[in-house]
PDB file of all heavy atoms in Angstrom:
ATOM      1  N   HIS A 123     106.891 109.981  93.949  1.00 98.00           N
ATOM      2  CA  HIS A 123     107.195 109.366  95.255  1.00 98.00           C
ATOM      3  C   HIS A 123     106.990 110.340  96.425  1.00 98.00           C
ATOM      4  O   HIS A 123     107.625 110.055  97.503  1.00 98.00           O
ATOM      5  CB  HIS A 123     108.619 108.744  95.275  1.00 98.00           C
ATOM      6  CG  HIS A 123     108.878 107.943  94.041  1.00 98.00           C
ATOM      7  ND1 HIS A 123     108.416 106.665  93.844  1.00 98.00           N
ATOM      8  CD2 HIS A 123     109.486 108.265  92.872  1.00 98.00           C
ATOM      9  CE1 HIS A 123     108.804 106.184  92.608  1.00 98.00           C
ATOM     10  NE2 HIS A 123     109.422 107.174  92.000  1.00 98.00           N
ATOM     11  N   SER A 124     106.154 111.326  96.320  1.00 98.00           N
ATOM     12  CA  SER A 124     105.831 112.089  97.451  1.00 98.00           C
ATOM     13  C   SER A 124     104.398 112.613  97.343  1.00 98.00           C
ATOM     14  O   SER A 124     103.884 112.620  96.228  1.00 98.00           O
ATOM     15  CB  SER A 124     106.823 113.214  97.776  1.00 98.00           C
ATOM     16  OG  SER A 124     106.418 114.396  97.075  1.00 98.00           O
ATOM     17  N   PHE A 125     103.826 113.162  98.453  1.00 98.00           N
ATOM     18  CA  PHE A 125     102.519 113.684  98.377  1.00 98.00           C
ATOM     19  C   PHE A 125     102.431 114.962  97.618  1.00 98.00           C
ATOM     20  O   PHE A 125     101.317 115.465  97.242  1.00 98.00           O
ATOM     21  CB  PHE A 125     101.928 113.940  99.824  1.00 98.00           C
ATOM     22  CG  PHE A 125     102.261 115.273 100.390  1.00 98.00           C
ATOM     23  CD1 PHE A 125     101.275 116.279 100.384  1.00 98.00           C
ATOM     24  CD2 PHE A 125     103.443 115.604 100.934  1.00 98.00           C
ATOM     25  CE1 PHE A 125     101.505 117.561 100.889  1.00 98.00           C
ATOM     26  CE2 PHE A 125     103.771 116.812 101.473  1.00 98.00           C
ATOM     27  CZ  PHE A 125     102.838 117.814 101.425  1.00 98.00           C
ATOM     28  N   LYS A 126     103.606 115.526  97.258  1.00 98.00           N
ATOM     29  CA  LYS A 126     103.648 116.815  96.526  1.00 98.00           C
ATOM     30  C   LYS A 126     102.960 116.706  95.164  1.00 98.00           C
ATOM     31  O   LYS A 126     102.627 117.683  94.620  1.00 98.00           O
ATOM     32  CB  LYS A 126     105.055 117.364  96.433  1.00 98.00           C
ATOM     33  CG  LYS A 126     105.677 117.692  97.824  1.00 98.00           C
ATOM     34  CD  LYS A 126     105.026 118.969  98.259  1.00 98.00           C
ATOM     35  CE  LYS A 126     105.775 119.332  99.653  1.00 98.00           C
ATOM     36  NZ  LYS A 126     105.236 120.610 100.240  1.00 98.00           N
ATOM     37  N   SER A 149     111.506 125.128  96.853  1.00 97.00           N
ATOM     38  CA  SER A 149     111.270 123.720  97.298  1.00 97.00           C
ATOM     39  C   SER A 149     112.346 123.224  98.237  1.00 97.00           C
ATOM     40  O   SER A 149     113.503 123.661  98.131  1.00 97.00           O
ATOM     41  CB  SER A 149     111.297 122.792  96.075  1.00 97.00           C
ATOM     42  OG  SER A 149     111.274 121.428  96.449  1.00 97.00           O
ATOM     43  N   THR A 150     111.910 122.337  99.135  1.00 94.00           N
ATOM     44  CA  THR A 150     112.917 121.607  99.950  1.00 94.00           C
ATOM     45  C   THR A 150     113.254 120.298  99.291  1.00 94.00           C
ATOM     46  O   THR A 150     113.823 119.355  99.934  1.00 94.00           O
ATOM     47  CB  THR A 150     112.353 121.383 101.384  1.00 94.00           C
ATOM     48  OG1 THR A 150     111.127 120.699 101.325  1.00 94.00           O
ATOM     49  CG2 THR A 150     112.176 122.717 102.141  1.00 94.00           C
ATOM     50  N   GLY A 151     112.879 120.106  98.033  1.00 95.00           N
ATOM     51  CA  GLY A 151     113.292 118.928  97.337  1.00 95.00           C
ATOM     52  C   GLY A 151     112.200 118.121  96.659  1.00 95.00           C
ATOM     53  O   GLY A 151     112.153 118.002  95.383  1.00 95.00           O
ATOM     54  N   ASN A 152     111.222 117.699  97.393  1.00 97.00           N
ATOM     55  CA  ASN A 152     110.136 116.908  96.835  1.00 97.00           C
ATOM     56  C   ASN A 152     109.276 117.695  95.833  1.00 97.00           C
ATOM     57  O   ASN A 152     108.867 117.223  94.751  1.00 97.00           O
ATOM     58  CB  ASN A 152     109.276 116.261  97.844  1.00 97.00           C
ATOM     59  CG  ASN A 152     109.956 115.104  98.573  1.00 97.00           C
ATOM     60  OD1 ASN A 152     110.488 114.205  97.932  1.00 97.00           O
ATOM     61  ND2 ASN A 152     109.954 115.138  99.911  1.00 97.00           N
ATOM     62  N   LEU A 153     108.977 118.934  96.189  1.00 98.00           N
ATOM     63  CA  LEU A 153     108.147 119.730  95.397  1.00 98.00           C
ATOM     64  C   LEU A 153     108.823 120.007  94.017  1.00 98.00           C
ATOM     65  O   LEU A 153     108.166 120.059  92.972  1.00 98.00           O
ATOM     66  CB  LEU A 153     107.835 121.049  96.103  1.00 98.00           C
ATOM     67  CG  LEU A 153     106.941 122.068  95.353  1.00 98.00           C
ATOM     68  CD1 LEU A 153     105.547 121.341  95.020  1.00 98.00           C
ATOM     69  CD2 LEU A 153     106.633 123.313  96.181  1.00 98.00           C
ATOM     70  N   LYS A 180     117.947 113.881  95.976  1.00 92.00           N
ATOM     71  CA  LYS A 180     116.728 114.752  95.723  1.00 92.00           C
ATOM     72  C   LYS A 180     116.956 115.640  94.521  1.00 92.00           C
ATOM     73  O   LYS A 180     116.040 115.775  93.753  1.00 92.00           O
ATOM     74  CB  LYS A 180     116.481 115.597  96.957  1.00 92.00           C
ATOM     75  CG  LYS A 180     115.736 114.886  98.007  1.00 92.00           C
ATOM     76  CD  LYS A 180     114.368 115.558  98.286  1.00 92.00           C
ATOM     77  CE  LYS A 180     113.471 114.621  99.155  1.00 92.00           C
ATOM     78  NZ  LYS A 180     113.663 114.826 100.610  1.00 92.00           N
ATOM     79  N   ARG A 222      99.222 129.269  95.316  1.00 98.00           N
ATOM     80  CA  ARG A 222      99.191 128.589  96.621  1.00 98.00           C
ATOM     81  C   ARG A 222      97.835 128.164  97.020  1.00 98.00           C
ATOM     82  O   ARG A 222      97.678 127.081  97.642  1.00 98.00           O
ATOM     83  CB  ARG A 222      99.857 129.434  97.701  1.00 98.00           C
ATOM     84  CG  ARG A 222     100.178 128.632  98.999  1.00 98.00           C
ATOM     85  CD  ARG A 222     100.964 129.446  99.971  1.00 98.00           C
ATOM     86  NE  ARG A 222     101.126 128.583 101.195  1.00 98.00           N
ATOM     87  CZ  ARG A 222     102.045 127.673 101.390  1.00 98.00           C
ATOM     88  NH1 ARG A 222     102.957 127.417 100.455  1.00 98.00           N
ATOM     89  NH2 ARG A 222     102.181 127.003 102.561  1.00 98.00           N
ATOM     90  N   TYR A 225      97.131 125.001  95.097  1.00 98.00           N
ATOM     91  CA  TYR A 225      98.156 124.024  95.518  1.00 98.00           C
ATOM     92  C   TYR A 225      97.802 123.425  96.847  1.00 98.00           C
ATOM     93  O   TYR A 225      97.629 122.128  96.964  1.00 98.00           O
ATOM     94  CB  TYR A 225      99.530 124.784  95.532  1.00 98.00           C
ATOM     95  CG  TYR A 225     100.586 124.265  96.441  1.00 98.00           C
ATOM     96  CD1 TYR A 225     101.623 123.526  95.867  1.00 98.00           C
ATOM     97  CD2 TYR A 225     100.683 124.616  97.794  1.00 98.00           C
ATOM     98  CE1 TYR A 225     102.705 123.040  96.679  1.00 98.00           C
ATOM     99  CE2 TYR A 225     101.729 124.163  98.620  1.00 98.00           C
ATOM    100  CZ  TYR A 225     102.666 123.424  98.044  1.00 98.00           C
ATOM    101  OH  TYR A 225     103.749 122.988  98.778  1.00 98.00           O
ATOM    102  N   SER A 229      96.124 118.899  99.080  1.00 98.00           N
ATOM    103  CA  SER A 229      96.433 118.087 100.303  1.00 98.00           C
ATOM    104  C   SER A 229      95.166 117.509 100.964  1.00 98.00           C
ATOM    105  O   SER A 229      95.194 116.475 101.594  1.00 98.00           O
ATOM    106  CB  SER A 229      97.180 118.879 101.341  1.00 98.00           C
ATOM    107  OG  SER A 229      98.449 119.195 100.945  1.00 98.00           O
ATOM    108  N   PRO A 251     103.660 114.932 108.992  1.00 98.00           N
ATOM    109  CA  PRO A 251     104.846 115.859 109.209  1.00 98.00           C
ATOM    110  C   PRO A 251     104.397 117.298 108.945  1.00 98.00           C
ATOM    111  O   PRO A 251     103.471 117.559 108.207  1.00 98.00           O
ATOM    112  CB  PRO A 251     105.847 115.373 108.207  1.00 98.00           C
ATOM    113  CG  PRO A 251     105.062 114.801 107.121  1.00 98.00           C
ATOM    114  CD  PRO A 251     103.726 114.282 107.705  1.00 98.00           C
ATOM    115  N   ILE A 252     105.164 118.181 109.480  1.00 98.00           N
ATOM    116  CA  ILE A 252     104.847 119.651 109.266  1.00 98.00           C
ATOM    117  C   ILE A 252     106.147 120.354 108.808  1.00 98.00           C
ATOM    118  O   ILE A 252     107.168 120.302 109.407  1.00 98.00           O
ATOM    119  CB  ILE A 252     104.350 120.316 110.603  1.00 98.00           C
ATOM    120  CG1 ILE A 252     103.000 119.677 110.978  1.00 98.00           C
ATOM    121  CG2 ILE A 252     104.302 121.873 110.407  1.00 98.00           C
ATOM    122  CD1 ILE A 252     102.545 120.208 112.361  1.00 98.00           C
ATOM    123  N   ALA A 253     106.001 121.058 107.621  1.00 98.00           N
ATOM    124  CA  ALA A 253     107.085 122.017 107.152  1.00 98.00           C
ATOM    125  C   ALA A 253     106.409 123.360 107.174  1.00 98.00           C
ATOM    126  O   ALA A 253     106.488 124.156 108.158  1.00 98.00           O
ATOM    127  CB  ALA A 253     107.638 121.611 105.813  1.00 98.00           C
ATOM    128  N   SER A 254     105.751 123.790 106.065  1.00 98.00           N
ATOM    129  CA  SER A 254     105.044 125.067 106.011  1.00 98.00           C
ATOM    130  C   SER A 254     103.796 124.936 106.889  1.00 98.00           C
ATOM    131  O   SER A 254     103.215 125.968 107.224  1.00 98.00           O
ATOM    132  CB  SER A 254     104.677 125.351 104.594  1.00 98.00           C
ATOM    133  OG  SER A 254     103.635 124.660 104.148  1.00 98.00           O
ATOM    134  N   GLY A 255     103.296 123.755 107.142  1.00 98.00           N
ATOM    135  CA  GLY A 255     102.018 123.555 107.901  1.00 98.00           C
ATOM    136  C   GLY A 255     100.813 123.453 106.961  1.00 98.00           C
ATOM    137  O   GLY A 255      99.675 123.247 107.476  1.00 98.00           O
ATOM    138  N   ALA A 256     101.005 123.574 105.629  1.00 98.00           N
ATOM    139  CA  ALA A 256      99.868 123.544 104.744  1.00 98.00           C
ATOM    140  C   ALA A 256      99.216 122.238 104.740  1.00 98.00           C
ATOM    141  O   ALA A 256      97.998 122.116 104.868  1.00 98.00           O
ATOM    142  CB  ALA A 256     100.279 123.981 103.330  1.00 98.00           C
ATOM    143  N   LEU A 257      99.969 121.117 104.580  1.00 98.00           N
ATOM    144  CA  LEU A 257      99.389 119.836 104.592  1.00 98.00           C
ATOM    145  C   LEU A 257      98.588 119.571 105.857  1.00 98.00           C
ATOM    146  O   LEU A 257      97.407 119.095 105.755  1.00 98.00           O
ATOM    147  CB  LEU A 257     100.569 118.793 104.528  1.00 98.00           C
ATOM    148  CG  LEU A 257     100.245 117.351 104.889  1.00 98.00           C
ATOM    149  CD1 LEU A 257      99.131 116.761 103.978  1.00 98.00           C
ATOM    150  CD2 LEU A 257     101.463 116.478 104.841  1.00 98.00           C
ATOM    151  N   PHE A 258      99.176 119.925 107.035  1.00 98.00           N
ATOM    152  CA  PHE A 258      98.548 119.633 108.252  1.00 98.00           C
ATOM    153  C   PHE A 258      97.276 120.382 108.408  1.00 98.00           C
ATOM    154  O   PHE A 258      96.182 119.818 108.784  1.00 98.00           O
ATOM    155  CB  PHE A 258      99.524 120.025 109.410  1.00 98.00           C
ATOM    156  CG  PHE A 258      99.117 119.463 110.762  1.00 98.00           C
ATOM    157  CD1 PHE A 258      99.384 118.140 111.054  1.00 98.00           C
ATOM    158  CD2 PHE A 258      98.621 120.306 111.741  1.00 98.00           C
ATOM    159  CE1 PHE A 258      99.083 117.672 112.370  1.00 98.00           C
ATOM    160  CE2 PHE A 258      98.286 119.802 113.056  1.00 98.00           C
ATOM    161  CZ  PHE A 258      98.493 118.477 113.286  1.00 98.00           C
ATOM    162  N   ARG A 312     115.672 117.354 105.706  1.00 97.00           N
ATOM    163  CA  ARG A 312     115.721 118.539 104.806  1.00 97.00           C
ATOM    164  C   ARG A 312     114.412 118.881 104.205  1.00 97.00           C
ATOM    165  O   ARG A 312     114.113 120.112 103.973  1.00 97.00           O
ATOM    166  CB  ARG A 312     116.743 118.266 103.738  1.00 97.00           C
ATOM    167  CG  ARG A 312     118.203 117.913 104.195  1.00 97.00           C
ATOM    168  CD  ARG A 312     118.744 119.032 105.212  1.00 97.00           C
ATOM    169  NE  ARG A 312     118.666 120.268 104.508  1.00 97.00           N
ATOM    170  CZ  ARG A 312     119.571 120.807 103.760  1.00 97.00           C
ATOM    171  NH1 ARG A 312     120.693 120.173 103.556  1.00 97.00           N
ATOM    172  NH2 ARG A 312     119.407 122.018 103.192  1.00 97.00           N
ATOM    173  N   SER A 313     113.535 117.968 103.923  1.00 97.00           N
ATOM    174  CA  SER A 313     112.271 118.283 103.322  1.00 97.00           C
ATOM    175  C   SER A 313     111.385 119.071 104.260  1.00 97.00           C
ATOM    176  O   SER A 313     110.452 119.718 103.792  1.00 97.00           O
ATOM    177  CB  SER A 313     111.555 116.966 102.895  1.00 97.00           C
ATOM    178  OG  SER A 313     111.336 116.125 103.944  1.00 97.00           O
ATOM    179  N   LEU A 314     111.628 119.081 105.593  1.00 98.00           N
ATOM    180  CA  LEU A 314     110.815 119.748 106.503  1.00 98.00           C
ATOM    181  C   LEU A 314     111.575 121.039 107.057  1.00 98.00           C
ATOM    182  O   LEU A 314     111.058 121.656 107.976  1.00 98.00           O
ATOM    183  CB  LEU A 314     110.495 118.860 107.761  1.00 98.00           C
ATOM    184  CG  LEU A 314     109.749 117.519 107.374  1.00 98.00           C
ATOM    185  CD1 LEU A 314     109.451 116.788 108.717  1.00 98.00           C
ATOM    186  CD2 LEU A 314     108.539 117.805 106.620  1.00 98.00           C
ATOM    187  N   ILE A 316     111.785 124.292 106.965  1.00 97.00           N
ATOM    188  CA  ILE A 316     111.267 125.557 106.698  1.00 97.00           C
ATOM    189  C   ILE A 316     111.260 126.297 108.079  1.00 97.00           C
ATOM    190  O   ILE A 316     110.578 125.959 109.002  1.00 97.00           O
ATOM    191  CB  ILE A 316     109.824 125.498 106.092  1.00 97.00           C
ATOM    192  CG1 ILE A 316     109.925 124.796 104.731  1.00 97.00           C
ATOM    193  CG2 ILE A 316     109.233 126.862 105.991  1.00 97.00           C
ATOM    194  CD1 ILE A 316     108.591 124.737 104.039  1.00 97.00           C
ATOM    195  N   GLU A 360     110.928 108.416 103.824  1.00 98.00           N
ATOM    196  CA  GLU A 360     112.092 109.367 103.876  1.00 98.00           C
ATOM    197  C   GLU A 360     112.208 109.989 105.324  1.00 98.00           C
ATOM    198  O   GLU A 360     111.486 109.577 106.233  1.00 98.00           O
ATOM    199  CB  GLU A 360     111.938 110.443 102.894  1.00 98.00           C
ATOM    200  CG  GLU A 360     110.846 111.446 103.148  1.00 98.00           C
ATOM    201  CD  GLU A 360     111.234 112.885 102.642  1.00 98.00           C
ATOM    202  OE1 GLU A 360     111.169 113.146 101.455  1.00 98.00           O
ATOM    203  OE2 GLU A 360     111.616 113.668 103.539  1.00 98.00           O
ATOM    204  N   ALA A 362     111.289 112.680 106.509  1.00 98.00           N
ATOM    205  CA  ALA A 362     110.042 113.260 107.050  1.00 98.00           C
ATOM    206  C   ALA A 362     109.213 112.162 107.684  1.00 98.00           C
ATOM    207  O   ALA A 362     108.529 112.457 108.731  1.00 98.00           O
ATOM    208  CB  ALA A 362     109.165 113.864 105.929  1.00 98.00           C
ATOM    209  N   THR A 363     109.286 110.930 107.182  1.00 98.00           N
ATOM    210  CA  THR A 363     108.483 109.848 107.784  1.00 98.00           C
ATOM    211  C   THR A 363     109.167 109.388 109.105  1.00 98.00           C
ATOM    212  O   THR A 363     108.425 109.026 110.046  1.00 98.00           O
ATOM    213  CB  THR A 363     108.357 108.688 106.792  1.00 98.00           C
ATOM    214  OG1 THR A 363     107.870 109.236 105.574  1.00 98.00           O
ATOM    215  CG2 THR A 363     107.398 107.657 107.334  1.00 98.00           C
ATOM    216  N   THR A 390     104.844 110.391 103.599  1.00 98.00           N
ATOM    217  CA  THR A 390     104.650 111.456 102.581  1.00 98.00           C
ATOM    218  C   THR A 390     105.790 111.471 101.521  1.00 98.00           C
ATOM    219  O   THR A 390     105.724 112.151 100.523  1.00 98.00           O
ATOM    220  CB  THR A 390     104.528 112.809 103.213  1.00 98.00           C
ATOM    221  OG1 THR A 390     105.641 113.035 104.064  1.00 98.00           O
ATOM    222  CG2 THR A 390     103.234 112.947 103.961  1.00 98.00           C
ATOM    223  N   GLY A 391     106.926 110.737 101.799  1.00 98.00           N
ATOM    224  CA  GLY A 391     108.046 110.732 100.937  1.00 98.00           C
ATOM    225  C   GLY A 391     108.888 109.448 101.017  1.00 98.00           C
ATOM    226  O   GLY A 391     108.745 108.705 101.953  1.00 98.00           O
ATOM    227  N   ASP A 392     109.662 109.225  99.972  1.00 98.00           N
ATOM    228  CA  ASP A 392     110.385 107.989  99.781  1.00 98.00           C
ATOM    229  C   ASP A 392     111.845 108.026 100.329  1.00 98.00           C
ATOM    230  O   ASP A 392     112.545 108.885 100.057  1.00 98.00           O
ATOM    231  CB  ASP A 392     110.451 107.704  98.284  1.00 98.00           C
ATOM    232  CG  ASP A 392     110.746 106.314  97.975  1.00 98.00           C
ATOM    233  OD1 ASP A 392     111.635 105.723  98.574  1.00 98.00           O
ATOM    234  OD2 ASP A 392     110.034 105.734  97.031  1.00 98.00           O
TER     235      ASP A 392
HETATM  236  C1  PLP B 520     107.943 114.468 102.284  1.00 80.01           C
HETATM  237  C2  PLP B 520     107.281 115.657 102.838  1.00 80.01           C
HETATM  238  N1  PLP B 520     106.367 115.612 103.772  1.00 80.01           N
HETATM  239  C3  PLP B 520     105.757 116.640 104.361  1.00 80.01           C
HETATM  240  C4  PLP B 520     106.058 117.939 103.926  1.00 80.01           C
HETATM  241  C5  PLP B 520     105.372 119.042 104.621  1.00 80.01           C
HETATM  242  O1  PLP B 520     104.496 119.818 103.855  1.00 80.01           O
HETATM  243  P1  PLP B 520     103.962 121.185 104.244  1.00 80.01           P
HETATM  244  O2  PLP B 520     104.951 122.195 103.768  1.00 80.01           O
HETATM  245  O3  PLP B 520     102.645 121.308 103.583  1.00 80.01           O
HETATM  246  O4  PLP B 520     103.830 121.277 105.789  1.00 80.01           O
HETATM  247  C6  PLP B 520     106.937 118.116 102.921  1.00 80.01           C
HETATM  248  C7  PLP B 520     107.306 119.455 102.459  1.00 80.01           C
HETATM  249  O5  PLP B 520     108.161 119.683 101.661  1.00 80.01           O
HETATM  250  C8  PLP B 520     107.626 116.983 102.356  1.00 80.01           C
HETATM  251  O6  PLP B 520     108.530 117.034 101.384  1.00 80.01           O
END
Side-chain angles (χ1 to χ4, degrees):
H123 314 280
S124 89
F125 90 100
K126 295 287 182 180
S149 170
T150 56
N152 286 312
L153 182 58
K180 277 243 167 89
R222 189 172 178 84
Y225 156 98
S229 289
I252 294 177
S254 75
L257 162 64
F258 196 76
R312 303 302 309 270
S313 59
L314 303 182
I316 297 185
E360 71 144 80
T363 308
T390 53
D392 197 316

